[in-house]
Amino acid sequence: MALTSRGALALIAATLLVAAIYASRTDRPVVASWLMAAGFAVATLWTAMGVAWAYQHPRRADLAWRGWAMLGAIALVFATRYGYRASRDEGPS
């Protein structure tokens, strides 16, 4: 089974978010905020690809395209939140 673009984005997002948890546990809150912002930005791209795929293949999709869009909106909100906190030199809370 080949790794698709969506699968690669999911792995990148998960790796960034796990690295952010590690950074926050090792007393690097600003780095953790930047990693969280990057992880959720990649997750937003992942869900955008999910929306496009579900819209084109409605019978084979795990979620309807509206479900993917809702996940993308949530990821975009968190990317904005952590990016804002990181730009102000604040850690995640």
Side-chain angles (χ1 to χ4, degrees), residues 24-66:
S24 68
R25 298 283 183 188
T26 57
D27 294 328
R28 288 181 255 175
V30 177
V31 172
S33 288
W34 281 117
L35 287 171
M36 291 286 265
F40 281 115
V42 173
T44 302
L45 294 174
W46 172 70
T47 57
M49 290 183 78
V51 167
W53 192 85
Y55 193 73
Q56 293 173 354
H57 305 93
R59 293 180 185 241
R60 295 190 310 177
D62 296 331
L63 288 175
W65 69 269
R66 289 183 181 104

Side-chain angles (χ1 to χ4, degrees), residues 13 15-40 78-79 81-87 89-93:
T15 302
L16 286 168
L17 292 172
V18 168
I21 292 170
Y22 178 76
S24 68
R25 298 283 183 188
T26 57
D27 294 328
R28 288 181 255 175
V30 177
V31 172
S33 288
W34 281 117
L35 287 171
M36 291 286 265
F40 281 115
F78 279 117
R81 178 184 191 271
Y82 287 115
Y84 176 75
R85 291 186 67 83
S87 68
D89 292 333
E90 298 176 10
S93 60

